[in-house]
Amino acid sequence: MTTISLRLRAGLVSIALLAAFLGIWHLATRASAPVKAMSPEYAKLMGLTATQGKSAMPGPLDVGAKLWEHLKRPFYDNGPNDKGLGIQLGYSIARVGLGYLLAVLVAIPLGFLIGMSPLLSRALDPFIQVLKPISPLAWMPLALYTIKDSSISAIFVIFICSIWPMLLNTVFGVASVRKEWINVARTLEVGTLRRAFTVILPAAAPTILTGMRISIGIAWLVIVAAEMLVGGTGIGYFVWNEWNNLSITNVIIAILLIGIVGMLLDQILARFTRMVTFPE
Amino acid sequence: MTDKFVSIEGIAKRYPGASGATTTVFENLWLSMARGEFCCVIGHSGCGKTTVLNILAGLDAPSEGTVIVDGQAISGTSLDRAVIFQSHALLPWRTVLGNVSYAVTSKWRNWDRAKVKAHAQTFIDLVGLTGSEHKRPSELSGGMKQRVGIARALSITPKMMLMDEPFSALDALTRGTLQDEVRRICLETGQTAFMITHDVDEAIYLADKIFLMTNGPGAVLAEVVENPLPRDRGRTDLHRHPLYYALRNHIIDFLVTRSKNFTAETPDHDPRNVPVIHIGKPGLTIASDVKPEPPREPSWPGLSRPSTCS
């Protein structure tokens, strides 16, 4: 028994926990509440919860069946209120990707500049300190008013929320490059630009990538909330729409998928981080 | 000294201290080196040795004075002056070859890859790292890392090498081998070398001239000791040379006692004309204007110190 690897044992425990969770969920939602006697006309108006004592909360089997339905047709489009989950997720990922990419393009060069210049670092510090703690959704009205386009406003909100961790990590990474590596470049008469790319960038890359990983996590958190506000498309909108449809099953499915996509995004960045990390 | 390849002329380094007062690490420091000479600086921590080296390298600027190398006042760093860092300072994301090539491409920007590689390889071979070209610094031992540091410094064919305690982090055996290598390379290539060390034996083995610095702050260059040992000295029989102990004792006496009170005891010390000590002239005469030391009694009765000044 002791020869079973830790990995395998951990996997077994994970599966057991999942099974236990699903079992409890199944039992908890199966229980029937007392059914009141009512006239058939009235019963037609009431849902299954009132007439048959069925729980309002869907069980794992309901969710599983519905999920299978969604997975079979991820990209159908029956008009504005009924699109496949693949399309909704696609919208969300595209918004996150665009806003995040813009943030990368701004944060990393700016972070480089601030990190290399003590003057800029001090001059911009108060602004960063004030802007950083603002909830990204607080920008939404301002964005809607100035941009006048809900979809671009959502992208802007992603941009503004993912810029700070990247900016601060880049500044920190660039400012704390070992003095001796800088001195090596100096004694070799390496120019500023070449030094930035050949010494500072590789030395700061692990810190920068860590900031990017934090950012993508925050961006994915925020997109759901932002889409609930702007509406129209996206997984966040889907969640709110299904809540209005009182389809708890779909809400649960959406929650599951949000988690899975978030995990995948994080893993991608984690892989990039490993690629640039160097052992000392 | 007629041929002054390196001439440090009256440099000072001051830092603004607490409450407006300035701390003077050293001032009015004059020092010169001839081409092809190997010089070691010995002094206690805080006497500004590293600052002198950094100024020579161009990494630091003196508060006063100038440094002239090869007839030109230096301003900033230069590919003519290679530095070997105490902590080797290799770029950990590059391989051995990558680290050396980085230096090579910095000096010769328009060389193609093959030429850079071949040039770098020559110096990797020179320091005995053939076969480890594609290893990363984290896979190397301390001694091998410092070898890469030496290869990197030599690969740009500098006019002089600056070494800041390059072997202090190494174990005694590795240090010995690397000292041999550095000595061999410097003799073969005729490098001018300036090295900071805490190790008296290292200085005796490697240096042609040994600069003795007093304790800081307000450190001065007290003496320049000429190494009386022959140029073709070997590590194994170094200590059998009749003048070895006289030289060693002179340096250690300086470090243990004289470095503390040198400025107080020698009020007429002229920093522009630092006395040059020739060990081993009849009766251990000390040249020029330094008073001969009173003979020190050994603190262990019954044993006499090796007779070196017979």
Side-chain angles (χ1 to χ4, degrees):
Chain A
M1 278 304 278
T2 49
T3 51
I4 300 173
S5 74
L6 180 68
R7 205 189 157 98
L8 187 66
R9 280 182 287 159
L12 287 173
V13 173
S14 291
I15 290 168
L17 284 174
L18 179 68
F21 170 71
L22 291 175
I24 292 167
W25 181 12
H26 180 71
L27 290 176
T29 50
R30 193 191 52 144
S32 51
V35 182
K36 285 189 209 125
M38 56 185 85
S39 66
E41 286 82 8
Y42 185 58
K44 274 186 190 165
L45 295 172
M46 302 302 284
L48 293 174
T49 312
T51 50
Q52 293 175 16
K54 190 174 178 348
S55 169
M57 194 72 181
L61 295 174
D62 305 320
V63 173
K66 190 81 184 166
L67 181 63
W68 180 239
E69 230 174 87
H70 279 297
L71 290 179
K72 273 195 296 192
R73 300 176 59 217
F75 297 111
Y76 72 89
D77 188 352
N78 295 342
N81 266 342
D82 192 10
K83 292 189 204 302
L85 268 174
I87 292 181
Q88 304 287 31
L89 278 173
Y91 272 110
S92 298
I93 292 172
R95 282 187 189 125
V96 165
L98 213 60
Y100 182 77
L101 205 69
L102 285 173
V104 170
L105 291 179
V106 173
I108 291 177
L110 189 65
F112 245 82
L113 222 59
I114 298 174
M116 286 174 87
S117 151
L119 173 77
L120 271 181
S121 170
R122 285 183 181 222
L124 291 178
D125 189 59
F127 298 105
I128 295 173
Q129 294 304 331
V130 169
L131 291 172
K132 188 177 61 151
I134 298 171
S135 163
L137 293 173
W139 292 97
M140 190 60 103
L142 209 58
L144 287 170
Y145 177 71
T146 46
I147 301 171
K148 296 188 172 62
D149 181 294
S150 62
S151 197
I152 299 178
S153 296
I155 292 169
F156 171 77
V157 166
I158 295 304
F159 166 80
I160 207 83
C161 78
S162 44
I163 200 166
W164 306 116
M166 277 193 261
L167 184 68
L168 292 175
N169 265 47
T170 308
V171 170
F172 177 74
V174 168
S176 51
V177 173
R178 286 237 218 114
K179 190 91 200 299
E180 58 195 35
W181 296 336
I182 304 280
N183 280 347
V184 167
R186 284 178 65 198
T187 56
L188 293 173
E189 291 192 77
V190 174
T192 316
L193 199 66
R194 183 157 182 259
R195 192 196 306 174
F197 280 104
T198 55
V199 176
I200 298 173
L201 185 63
T207 322
I208 296 175
L209 260 292
T210 307
M212 289 174 69
R213 192 174 164 189
I214 298 169
S215 279
I216 197 84
I218 293 176
W220 189 245
L221 289 180
V222 166
I223 193 64
V224 176
E227 284 171 346
M228 284 181 180
L229 279 178
V230 292
T233 45
I235 193 73
Y237 163 74
F238 178 83
V239 170
W240 206 249
N241 198 33
E242 293 306 316
W243 164 237
N244 287 336
N245 291 342
L246 270 182
S247 171
I248 304 292
T249 317
N250 274 336
V251 171
I252 292 173
I253 288 170
I255 289 173
L256 183 68
L257 287 176
I258 292 170
I260 290 171
V261 172
M263 182 189 77
L264 290 177
L265 291 176
D266 186 63
Q267 289 304 307
I268 291 169
L269 264 296
R271 172 150 297 186
F272 283 140
T273 311
R274 273 200 298 279
M275 273 165 57
V276 298
T277 304
F278 47 84
E280 284 205 40
Chain B
M1 187 68 40
T2 46
D3 173 26
K4 280 188 185 175
F5 179 65
V6 178
S7 177
I8 293 181
E9 309 196 337
I11 59 166
K13 188 70 194 177
R14 300 193 177 86
Y15 292 105
S19 69
T22 51
T23 313
T24 304
V25 186
F26 53 81
E27 59 186 348
N28 205 12
L29 185 83
W30 296 72
L31 184 157
S32 65
M33 288 166 64
R35 194 184 293 270
E37 217 169 22
F38 199 120
C39 299
C40 278
V41 184
I42 291 191
H44 289 284
S45 302
C47 74
K49 305 183 296 288
T50 301
T51 314
V52 174
L53 184 130
N54 282 345
I55 290 172
L56 256 174
L59 292 168
D60 206 344
S63 312
E64 272 170 33
T66 45
V67 177
I68 294 167
V69 177
D70 205 13
Q72 273 193 316
I74 63 164
S75 61
T77 55
S78 161
L79 284 159
D80 291 338
R81 282 165 276 130
V83 183
I84 297 175
F85 296 87
Q86 181 179 10
S87 53
H88 61 77
L90 299 180
L91 305 177
W93 54 88
R94 285 173 176 267
T95 59
V96 169
L97 186 64
N99 269 285
V100 181
S101 300
Y102 184 63
V104 176
T105 45
S106 299
K107 173 133 187 181
W108 295 283
R109 304 274 159 88
N110 46 4
W111 277 16
D112 58 55
R113 288 176 84 94
K115 200 167 178 190
V116 167
K117 189 168 181 267
H119 186 86
Q121 188 67 49
T122 322
F123 288 90
I124 292 170
D125 297 345
L126 184 71
V127 297
L129 280 179
T130 318
S132 304
E133 296 87 355
H134 299 292
K135 286 188 179 154
R136 287 185 194 276
S138 57
E139 300 168 78
L140 303 177
S141 67
M144 287 163 93
K145 282 182 199 164
Q146 200 51 279
R147 279 169 193 267
V148 182
I150 295 167
R152 179 173 64 185
L154 287 168
S155 69
I156 57 172
T157 57
K159 287 183 185 164
M160 75 177 297
M161 297 227 284
L162 304 166
M163 297 176 253
D164 186 358
E165 298 183 41
F167 311 131
S168 62
L170 306 176
D171 63 276
L173 268 175
T174 318
R175 195 185 308 155
T177 354
L178 276 187
Q179 284 166 358
D180 291 344
E181 299 272 326
V182 163
R183 182 165 169 73
R184 174 178 64 84
I185 290 165
C186 282
L187 285 176
E188 278 173 12
T189 57
Q191 275 292 337
T192 312
F194 182 88
M195 180 179 192
I196 293 174
T197 181
H198 274 124
D199 184 340
V200 175
D201 290 309
E202 183 170 274
I204 294 174
Y205 178 50
L206 293 174
D208 302 317
K209 273 202 289 192
I210 299 163
F211 298 118
L212 300 179
M213 283 184 78
T214 64
N215 293 4
V220 296
L221 176 60
E223 286 173 2
V224 178
V225 180
E226 289 210 334
N227 194 337
L229 304 187
R231 222 174 147 81
D232 60 342
R233 50 188 172 260
R235 162 179 307 286
T236 44
D237 55 356
L238 194 69
H239 59 286
R240 294 187 202 283
H241 192 275
L243 293 174
Y244 173 79
Y245 279 104
L247 175 64
R248 196 168 192 278
N249 291 343
H250 181 82
I251 298 171
I252 289 185
D253 284 341
F254 176 83
L255 287 176
V256 173
T257 51
R258 292 174 54 219
S259 64
K260 276 195 278 292
N261 314 315
F262 182 83
T263 15
E265 284 172 6
T266 328
D268 55 346
H269 180 70
D270 176 9
R272 287 198 68 161
N273 282 307
V274 176
V276 180
I277 312 291
H278 304 278
I279 306 269
K281 293 285 150 66
L284 221 178
T285 339
I286 280 145
S288 69
D289 48 353
V290 176
K291 283 184 251 66
E293 302 164 67
R296 270 169 241 265
E297 284 306 310
S299 56
W300 49 93
L303 284 168
S304 61
R305 304 206 312 183
S307 54
T308 49
C309 16
S310 50

